[in-house]
Amino acid sequence: MKRKNWLSVLAISSLAVTMALGAVGCNGGGAAGASSQGAGASTKKGDVIELVFSEQDDPQSADPTWAEIIAAFEAENPGIKVKSEHKETEGQRTDWNNSVLAGKGPDIISSPPDNIPLFAEAQTAMELTGVIDESTFAMLDSKAIENYKYKGKVYGIPYKVGNCLVLVYNKDLIAEPPTTLDELVQKAKELTNAPNQYGLVYDMVEPYFASPFFLGSGGQIFDDNGGLLVNSDAAKKAFQLIYDWKFTDKITPAEGNSDVANALFLEGKAAMIINGPWFFNQAKDANINYGIAALPNAMPFADAKILMVNPNIKDEARLAAINKFLAFINNTENQLKLAKVSTEIPTNLEAKNDPYVTEDEELKGVAAAVASGVPQPARPEMRQVWDTWRTVQARVLSGEVAPADAPAIWEAECKKQIEATMSQQ
Amino acid sequence: MWSKSKTEPYILTSPAILVLIVVVGFPLVYGIYLSFTNMNVYSFRDPKLIGLDNYIKIFADPIFYSTLLRTVIWTVVNVFCHVLGGLCLAMLLNRKFPFKNFYRVMLMVPWAVPQYIAVITWKNMFRGTYGTISILQSQLGVNIEWLINPAYTFIACMITNIWLGIPFMMMVILGGLQSIPGELYEAADIDGASGFQAFRHITLPLLKSTVIPATIIGGIWTFNMVNVIFIFTDNSGQEQTQILVSRVYKDAFNFFAYGRAAAWSVIIFLILAVFSVGFIKMMMKEKEAFE
């Protein structure tokens, strides 16, 4: 009886262990899926090299363009195959870190720039100076490369700029976009007839969509030494603004993530939406007569899309293939293709002067927003900043925390989170 | 020297033992090792041993105790509702009535639908203004902002998880009910026992051997159920919606603080191990007394 008893205990304990520890111990778990073999492989003379390329672009609009570029590259380079892997932003980040740590992972990743400090500190990104051909860097805007250096080193190649927020408005509802916040509220009030129509919609879950008003009020996240500056009047103003939009002015829905905001705008039930260039194609497909304008009294984060390389690659032939592929992506023709599909600005110097870039009205709007914006702070602690910002914003929008109290809570929670998860002892 | 009869069981079970070592043993040992390291973004490639620091910090944080309490409430309420709901439905399905198979299939739907899809659907039903539940409650004059107020979000997660978990318990209990000999009920009927007395003295005792293991497994599953809260809160819930395992997930895969996340995991393991051993011992005592 006793032995049986202990066997049952052992069996159930094993189950508990597997479930509790599997996720962490196995170095992957939930979001971290199967990793690619790319970087771990070595090549012999005459082998066909298969590069694995990880991207997180909107599959509907970007996939055909990537497929076209990859097919053209393979036709020019018969000894190299490129396998493209699409992942969502969060899963891509986790998978990359875990698989690179395990000595494997994709060869190249295209991802947002906030991954640079994270991957650089985790040593899961290759330092590119001296590895990537100078001729590739020479094709690109040196200022863009300079913007994305981390601790003075180049870990990523920015290949298009335009990841920023603008005001997208429905021209059938608003003839002229507002130029001040007061005007925005006034117009939005006139056009709100809840729940059938709202004057303004935005992703109320992700603070990224309200961040331009924090920056526009003079808000800063870090000082030069990495000290937090979020407990500020600018933060109070920004929290007060979104609080008023919901509770005082009643120009937004009670709640909603990007799915809700996008759906309302695409169904013609919202006059204005805070969104980025990645949304334009959806508005076109929905036959919305839309226009874009700068967000009033705001300063958006304006960022590039970055190409990074797996540091596990030691094989010379593979490195040469990567060099060829990066040079191909960044040539004038391909950068233009990629920029057009997402309404962003190429970093290739020739492509930047193409008539499409200099004359397209939409791209001019994006360029103006980029010019008025700032890059995200290059610190790995931004993960904790966003996470605690999201939590505090939710508490403000639930009415639980007063906007005036929110910045102090944000700073305290962020400090605690950073100390708990990033201690450098 | 061992005889063939002594070595044979070990040879026969060796493939299973090997699999257990790979899928249980390695994660266990590696997870425990990680919990004593400072592995995070700054020491991702070369973590250092830091002794009990991760544990000390976790136990010194009041959030640990509030999250533990919330996790216990989450587990007890969910498993209680799973068993109660499963028992009621299983007893219904154990009777003869028209279209029984149709109802049985319909009641299995929550189990058949991929969990991710089911949770997204529930989340959209709880969504303000346009969600089905929000529309129904507004017609009743009730205004609950399910996805904004974290306390209600937690309740919404519980409702969803209860819905998801009932079919498993229903099937297990139905199997148990069908294994109870009909003669026992006939004898009880002849002795003049009421329906409740038959349930109390025949059904419940004979279901014990089925329900108890299912409850333990259900308890462990629910304690470690990350999906529902993860999806409902977009992977970044507020404090009032976190349970222990969602905190592990966040520390590990949002912040790459693997040392701390592993310490949380070991704590969860110890809690579950104590619960399982205690529960089994209690049941064994009862069984021995019964025998």
Side-chain angles (χ1 to χ4, degrees), chain A residues 17 19 28 98 255 381 387 425, chain B residues 38 42 128 221 236 253 258:
Chain A
V17 173
M19 295 167 79
N98 290 338
E255 55 109 347
E381 291 86 357
D387 187 74
Q425 61 189 336
Chain B
N38 64 347
Y42 289 116
W221 278 345
S236 185
F253 303 120
Y258 284 118

Side-chain angles (χ1 to χ4, degrees), chain B residues 174-189:
Chain B
L174 187 59
L177 284 175
Q178 285 171 347
S179 69
I180 299 173
E183 294 85 11
L184 293 177
Y185 291 105
E186 282 168 22
D189 197 30

Side-chain angles (χ1 to χ4, degrees), chain A residues 138-421:
Chain A
M139 288 192 284
L140 310 175
D141 182 354
S142 57
K143 198 181 156 205
I145 292 168
E146 199 62 34
N147 275 347
Y148 293 101
K149 276 186 176 173
Y150 180 67
K151 294 187 173 172
K153 294 176 180 171
V154 177
Y155 290 95
I157 302 174
Y159 69 99
K160 55 181 184 178
V161 184
N163 198 349
C164 70
L165 293 170
V166 293
L167 186 72
V168 186
Y169 62 98
N170 186 332
K171 286 182 177 172
D172 292 339
L173 298 173
I174 293 186
E176 287 296 322
T179 52
T180 64
L181 279 174
D182 288 342
E183 205 183 319
L184 183 145
V185 171
Q186 190 198 328
K187 288 196 178 200
K189 270 184 183 173
E190 288 164 14
L191 290 160
T192 297
N193 175 26
N196 301 317
Q197 185 172 296
Y198 291 95
L200 178 70
V201 291
Y202 67 104
D203 184 336
M204 296 163 80
V205 177
E206 289 297 334
Y208 176 75
F209 291 83
S211 63
F213 304 101
F214 165 70
L215 300 171
S217 304
Q220 282 184 295
I221 292 174
F222 298 108
D223 63 23
D224 291 343
N225 301 316
L228 280 171
L229 296 173
V230 298
N231 186 7
S232 62
D233 283 343
K236 274 182 200 168
K237 279 183 195 166
F239 284 124
Q240 188 67 52
L241 186 74
I242 57 169
Y243 177 91
D244 287 344
W245 283 350
K246 179 182 169 181
F247 293 103
T248 314
D249 307 320
K250 296 183 169 63
I251 57 174
T252 65
E255 55 109 347
N257 60 2
S258 59
D259 292 340
V260 173
N262 293 355
L264 283 168
F265 188 82
L266 296 174
E267 286 170 17
K269 292 178 177 171
M272 294 174 274
I273 183 170
I274 300 169
N275 220 321
W278 56 87
F279 179 68
F280 299 164
N281 283 332
Q282 290 182 51
K284 267 177 213 151
D285 292 345
N287 292 320
I288 297 289
N289 179 21
Y290 72 94
I292 61 169
L295 289 164
N297 305 102
M299 181 193 284
F301 282 124
D303 278 309
K305 194 62 81 69
I306 308 288
L307 295 161
M308 285 183 272
V309 177
N310 189 321
N312 294 324
I313 299 162
K314 308 287 179 227
D315 186 83
E316 289 297 325
R318 181 167 286 274
L319 218 45
I322 288 170
N323 253 310
K324 280 186 184 170
F325 187 56
L326 290 178
F328 193 77
I329 292 175
N330 285 297
N331 71 26
T332 309
E333 182 192 355
N334 290 322
Q335 272 220 2
L336 262 177
K337 275 184 194 164
L338 290 163
K340 274 181 188 174
V341 81
S342 54
T343 325
E344 290 178 80
I345 305 150
T347 56
N348 178 298
L349 293 165
E350 269 183 43
K352 271 182 90 172
N353 294 319
D354 187 89
Y356 162 71
V357 180
T358 52
E359 288 166 24
D360 182 85
E361 283 305 315
E362 259 181 17
L363 205 57
K364 275 190 198 170
V366 173
V370 168
S372 71
V374 287
Q376 275 192 56
R379 296 199 66 90
E381 291 86 357
M382 278 305 287
R383 307 278 304 142
Q384 284 76 2
V385 169
W386 284 120
D387 187 74
T388 45
W389 196 344
R390 193 179 294 129
T391 308
V392 174
Q393 177 170 308
R395 292 173 73 182
V396 169
L397 289 176
S398 71
E400 184 202 336
V401 166
D405 300 333
I409 296 172
W410 179 16
E411 185 169 276
E413 287 190 0
C414 194
K415 270 185 182 164
K416 194 175 164 189
Q417 192 87 271
I418 290 170
E419 167 60 26
T421 57

Side-chain angles (χ1 to χ4, degrees), chain B residues 20-32:
Chain B
L20 270 178
I21 289 170
V22 173
V23 303
V24 179
F26 174 70
L28 170 66
V29 174
Y30 190 60
I32 292 172

Side-chain angles (χ1 to χ4, degrees), chain B residues 192-267:
Chain B
S194 67
F196 178 74
Q197 283 171 324
F199 174 75
R200 168 79 182 77
H201 297 289
I202 298 172
T203 312
L204 274 187
L206 292 177
L207 272 183
K208 249 186 184 175
S209 60
T210 315
V211 171
I212 286 164
T215 306
I216 296 174
I217 291 174
I220 294 172
W221 278 345
T222 309
F223 201 92
N224 280 333
M225 169 56 76
V226 72
N227 299 4
V228 175
I229 290 176
F230 179 89
I231 296 168
F232 253 86
T233 60
D234 293 312
N235 190 23
S236 185
Q238 298 176 44
E239 176 47 34
Q240 296 98 314
T241 56
Q242 295 284 311
I243 60 171
L244 288 171
V245 73
S246 60
R247 202 167 277 289
V248 174
Y249 195 96
K250 202 167 161 178
D251 278 356
F253 303 120
N254 281 17
F255 302 140
F256 301 101
Y258 284 118
R260 182 179 160 88
W264 280 107
S265 299
V266 171
I267 293 167

Side-chain angles (χ1 to χ4, degrees), chain B residues 7-282:
Chain B
T7 53
E8 208 169 42
Y10 293 98
I11 294 167
L12 290 172
T13 53
S14 58
I17 290 171
L18 198 69
V19 171
L20 270 178
I21 289 170
V22 173
V23 303
V24 179
F26 174 70
L28 170 66
V29 174
Y30 190 60
I32 292 172
Y33 161 73
L34 278 185
S35 73
F36 294 113
T37 70
N38 64 347
M39 188 177 184
N40 64 26
V41 167
Y42 289 116
S43 50
F44 207 57
R45 292 262 191 185
D46 53 348
K48 305 257 181 326
L49 283 167
I50 54 165
L52 292 169
D53 268 23
N54 286 323
Y55 293 96
I56 292 166
K57 278 184 184 164
I58 288 172
F59 287 126
D61 191 344
I63 279 181
F64 167 71
Y65 302 97
S66 57
T67 311
L68 177 62
L69 178 67
R70 199 174 306 113
T71 311
V72 170
I73 293 170
W74 160 265
T75 308
V76 170
V77 171
N78 270 297
V79 174
F80 175 77
C81 293
H82 289 161
V83 174
L84 188 68
L87 180 67
C88 293
L89 290 171
M91 288 184 66
L92 274 176
L93 288 176
N94 201 33
R95 291 162 182 257
K96 284 179 185 163
F97 61 92
F99 309 114
K100 191 169 107 173
N101 284 338
F102 172 75
Y103 286 115
R104 189 193 293 226
V105 170
M106 291 311 288
L107 287 167
M108 290 299 293
V109 165
W111 211 19
V113 176
Q115 211 174 58
Y116 183 82
I117 306 290
V119 179
I120 294 262
T121 308
W122 271 96
K123 186 180 175 183
N124 283 330
M125 291 206 299
F126 280 112
R127 199 168 278 299
T129 315
Y130 305 104
T132 316
I133 292 165
S134 298
I135 291 169
L136 287 175
Q137 73 184 22
S138 69
Q139 284 173 355
L140 296 170
V142 180
N143 180 28
I144 298 174
E145 294 183 316
W146 292 97
L147 300 184
I148 294 178
N149 187 318
Y152 287 120
T153 307
F154 191 62
I155 294 171
C157 290
M158 277 209 216
I159 293 169
T160 305
N161 198 52
I162 289 167
W163 183 84
L164 282 168
I166 283 178
F168 169 74
M169 225 36 108
M170 181 188 80
M171 289 312 289
V172 169
I173 295 172
L174 187 59
L177 284 175
Q178 285 171 347
S179 69
I180 299 173
E183 294 85 11
L184 293 177
Y185 291 105
E186 282 168 22
D189 197 30
I190 291 165
D191 289 343
S194 67
F196 178 74
Q197 283 171 324
F199 174 75
R200 168 79 182 77
H201 297 289
I202 298 172
T203 312
L204 274 187
L206 292 177
L207 272 183
K208 249 186 184 175
S209 60
T210 315
V211 171
I212 286 164
T215 306
I216 296 174
I217 291 174
I220 294 172
W221 278 345
T222 309
F223 201 92
N224 280 333
M225 169 56 76
V226 72
N227 299 4
V228 175
I229 290 176
F230 179 89
I231 296 168
F232 253 86
T233 60
D234 293 312
N235 190 23
S236 185
Q238 298 176 44
E239 176 47 34
Q240 296 98 314
T241 56
Q242 295 284 311
I243 60 171
L244 288 171
V245 73
S246 60
R247 202 167 277 289
V248 174
Y249 195 96
K250 202 167 161 178
D251 278 356
F253 303 120
N254 281 17
F255 302 140
F256 301 101
Y258 284 118
R260 182 179 160 88
W264 280 107
S265 299
V266 171
I267 293 167
I268 292 174
F269 158 62
L270 291 175
I271 292 168
L272 289 178
V274 168
F275 160 75
S276 305
V277 172
F279 206 84
I280 291 168
K281 275 192 170 173
M282 194 178 82

